[in-house]
Amino acid sequence: MDVINPATEERIATLTEDIAATLQEKWQQLKAAQPAWQARPLEERITVVKRFSELLETNKTQLAQILTSEVGKPVTQSANEVSGAIGRISWLAGNAAKYLADEIMGETPDLEERIAYEPLGVIANISAWNYPYLVGVNVFVPALLAGNAVLYKPSEYASLTGLQIERLWKEAGLDAHLFLTAIGTGNVGAALLEMPFDGYFFTGSYKTGHFIYNKVAAKMVPCQCELGGKDPLYVADDVTDIIAVAAATADGAFYNNGQSCCSVERIYVHENKYDAYIEAFVNEVRSWKTGAPTEEGIYFGPLTRKEQIGVLENQIADAVRKGAQIRTGGNRVDGKGYYFQPTVLTDVNAGMLVMKEESFGPVIGIMKVKNDAEAIAQMKDTEYGLTASVYSSGQARAESILQQVNAGTGYWNCCDRVSAALPWSGRKHSGFGTTLSHSGLRAFTKAKAYHLRKHS
Ligand code: NAD
């Protein structure tokens, strides 16, 4: 399998894809190693995880360069991602004892009632390329903390990073057969669905998630799907600093080239602030540099996948045909690399693809609304339910709007952010299940109830 640098279109590595026999061998190794890991005291598992995190820190520059070479993310954003992963591990490792240790729920002289959080066993983690460290850590760190073994299937667009992660777990002292990678395309992911894993944890598109959930259902084992979004953001008429709001929300839409599950994908602006917001927003976007992702100071590198260029062109052509205005951008960039101009569309409406389907690229539609009621109706008009955001000086006003939107995360005066302390979960086509927070730590366990009567 060739690994292509999306900035240069050059082949940078050729990897051997796993086949059924090697996957089977890896599964057997994981299965054999897992019971001893489960038997290790939680404190020892936490120590190994902390060592892995330290190695992320000491290897950060090299890891960022490798990530940039295969996904095209500007190298400063790649380093930020590794730092973000270290922050998440700190929370997960720091809270593992609190949420994974046995809990005594009731005790009388005669009876103890206790919950034990047992690991699932060997889990499959089928992952995405857009934030391989962050979305990977969300799954494999709590899974290992809980005593599971992990078969990690990195995206075919982030395989070199997957192999680095495997190397660092070994260096951290994890038994070499507790965390193994499965290298390959979707076919390798699909082959894992035919195997007897004890849980399936998927991050990726709705289409693949739907396929996986259907396949796994017959196995009667846990399955979680963290999928895409079409995340709305509303700018109310009582915001005070429109330039700062435009800058923050543009970053929420365009960071990582818009290739984030929780990127802002649709913006609604109160008519009283609309013109000022558009002007500030476009100025902000135009101030960011596009260029080689290896250079300092670059905000836009290439897209990771060539095919996405066609998706964006199609959304833009559809919008323009239906009356949208292009305020900046609108085209692919000629020359080597999968570059696309950051694009701002106005005069959009709910019937346009750009306001309905995940863009997952540097394209945003901004729509004028008359009032909160119209904003709420538009925000709710989606198959997805990952995040929603409101910018307003009134907390009660913002919270009231967010309560009405069926999304796993609500943001007031912020967007495109994740906290390890809070549950990360989608609704509707954005998926189901939870990573992060106490609930995400326990997602990789089976709760066993003990009723312990002290007298026979
Ligand atoms: P994708 O669905 O194309 O691929 C994800 C993974 O699934 C890859 O490892 C791929 O090889 C594998 N795969 C593909 N077909 C398969 C099949 N038939 N059976 C089993 N595995 C298969 O998604 P992607 O392009 O890697 O990621 C982008 C998508 O992920 C976007 O929709 C984005 O919003 C979403 N995402 C969601 C979150 C979240 O936390 N909710 C985080 C990151 C990305």
Side-chain angles (χ1 to χ4, degrees):
M1 185 179 80
D2 289 339
V3 179
I4 305 294
N5 181 330
T8 62
E9 299 185 40
E10 281 163 8
R11 188 178 62 196
I12 51 173
T14 301
L15 304 173
T16 307
E17 277 200 70
D18 271 290
I19 54 171
T22 57
L23 292 175
Q24 189 61 29
E25 195 181 324
K26 287 178 183 182
W27 180 82
Q28 273 161 357
Q29 289 169 338
L30 292 162
K31 190 82 185 158
Q34 188 272 329
W37 177 241
Q38 173 177 355
R40 298 260 299 267
L42 178 56
E43 277 312 314
E44 287 182 28
R45 300 202 294 267
I46 292 172
T47 302
V48 174
V49 166
K50 286 184 173 165
R51 245 185 270 135
F52 172 78
S53 181
E54 285 158 18
L55 289 169
L56 287 179
E57 184 63 52
T58 49
N59 287 270
K60 193 189 290 175
T61 305
Q62 185 204 3
L63 298 176
Q65 284 163 354
I66 292 170
L67 180 57
T68 291
S69 74
E70 63 181 343
V71 303
K73 188 180 294 220
V75 73
T76 42
Q77 294 187 14
S78 291
N80 287 348
E81 184 183 338
V82 179
S83 300
I86 293 166
R88 285 193 194 175
I89 296 173
S90 168
W91 191 91
L92 292 164
N95 285 279
K98 188 170 164 191
Y99 295 116
L100 294 177
D102 287 7
E103 280 181 293
I104 295 173
M105 305 306 289
E107 203 166 18
T108 65
D110 188 40
L111 183 74
E112 180 183 308
E113 294 184 340
R114 193 201 305 154
I115 303 175
Y117 294 97
E118 298 179 349
L120 300 175
V122 182
I123 64 131
N125 175 193
I126 303 176
S127 204
W129 50 265
N130 61 327
Y131 284 100
Y133 285 101
L134 292 176
V135 298
V137 156
N138 285 3
V139 171
F140 58 65
V141 166
L144 288 169
L145 283 168
N148 297 280
V150 178
L151 187 66
Y152 176 61
K153 152 86 181 75
S155 162
E156 53 273 41
Y157 296 98
S159 303
L160 299 179
T161 293
L163 292 169
Q164 290 300 312
I165 292 170
E166 185 183 51
R167 173 178 74 81
L168 294 182
W169 276 119
K170 283 182 190 140
E171 262 182 62
L174 188 72
D175 179 314
H177 296 134
L178 281 168
F179 182 96
L180 296 172
T181 50
I183 295 299
T185 62
N187 293 336
V188 170
L192 299 180
L193 309 178
E194 306 299 331
M195 297 171 65
F197 285 92
D198 300 305
Y200 288 82
F201 294 82
F202 173 69
T203 310
S205 62
Y206 164 70
K207 184 169 165 257
T208 311
H210 188 266
F211 175 81
I212 289 177
Y213 188 33
N214 269 307
K215 279 273 182 188
V216 172
K219 295 177 188 285
M220 309 279 279
V221 296
C223 178
Q224 288 199 171
C225 288
E226 299 203 328
L227 312 177
K230 191 70 193 168
D231 298 0
L233 180 145
Y234 172 45
V235 180
D237 55 344
D238 61 354
V239 291
T240 46
D241 186 347
I242 196 74
I243 291 178
V245 169
T249 55
D251 189 49
F254 287 111
Y255 190 80
N256 196 27
N257 241 331
Q259 300 172 124
S260 306
C261 52
C262 54
S263 282
V264 176
E265 288 252 342
R266 302 177 281 147
I267 300 180
Y268 304 99
V269 186
H270 193 283
E271 59 185 7
N272 294 347
K273 294 286 181 191
Y274 183 76
D275 291 337
Y277 178 82
I278 298 288
E279 189 188 342
F281 191 96
V282 170
N283 286 343
E284 180 70 17
V285 173
R286 287 200 179 129
S287 74
W288 294 329
K289 277 201 209 154
T290 300
T294 44
E295 281 173 25
E296 291 292 320
I298 293 297
Y299 188 85
F300 291 109
L303 297 175
T304 304
R305 293 170 310 167
K306 194 178 190 173
E307 312 82 74
Q308 202 63 14
I309 291 179
V311 173
L312 300 179
E313 284 177 337
N314 186 41
Q315 288 193 350
I316 293 167
D318 170 78
V320 169
R321 212 168 33 243
K322 293 173 180 165
Q325 301 286 320
I326 299 176
R327 297 298 182 115
T328 190
N331 294 301
R332 64 171 79 192
V333 177
D334 289 336
K336 282 272 174 221
Y338 314 144
Y339 289 91
F340 200 91
Q341 295 172 340
T343 301
V344 179
L345 298 167
T346 58
D347 303 275
V348 291
N349 63 53
M352 297 176 181
L353 293 175
V354 74
M355 299 304 272
K356 278 203 291 220
E357 295 185 357
E358 192 178 37
S359 303
F360 221 60
V363 175
I364 190 79
I366 307 178
M367 183 173 162
K368 190 194 285 186
V369 290
K370 283 194 176 356
N371 50 36
D372 291 3
E374 189 184 354
I376 293 164
Q378 292 294 341
M379 292 169 89
K380 288 167 73 169
D381 183 17
T382 176
E383 296 289 325
Y384 289 101
L386 194 58
T387 83
S389 174
V390 175
Y391 279 68
S392 162
S393 44
Q395 180 169 359
R397 178 179 180 180
E399 285 201 39
S400 155
I401 295 169
L402 293 171
Q403 275 159 16
Q404 295 175 65
V405 180
N406 189 13
T409 291
Y411 299 119
W412 176 44
N413 291 334
C414 56
C415 55
D416 188 29
R417 83 183 287 277
V418 177
S419 164
L422 297 177
W424 188 247
S425 64
R427 300 191 182 168
K428 305 196 285 180
H429 286 190
S430 294
F432 55 89
T434 304
T435 54
L436 302 176
S437 78
H438 53 73
S439 164
L441 270 167
R442 288 179 176 162
F444 303 88
T445 67
K446 301 172 277 201
K448 182 178 271 182
Y450 283 100
H451 305 240
L452 304 170
R453 198 170 288 288
K454 293 174 187 171
H455 306 289
S456 55

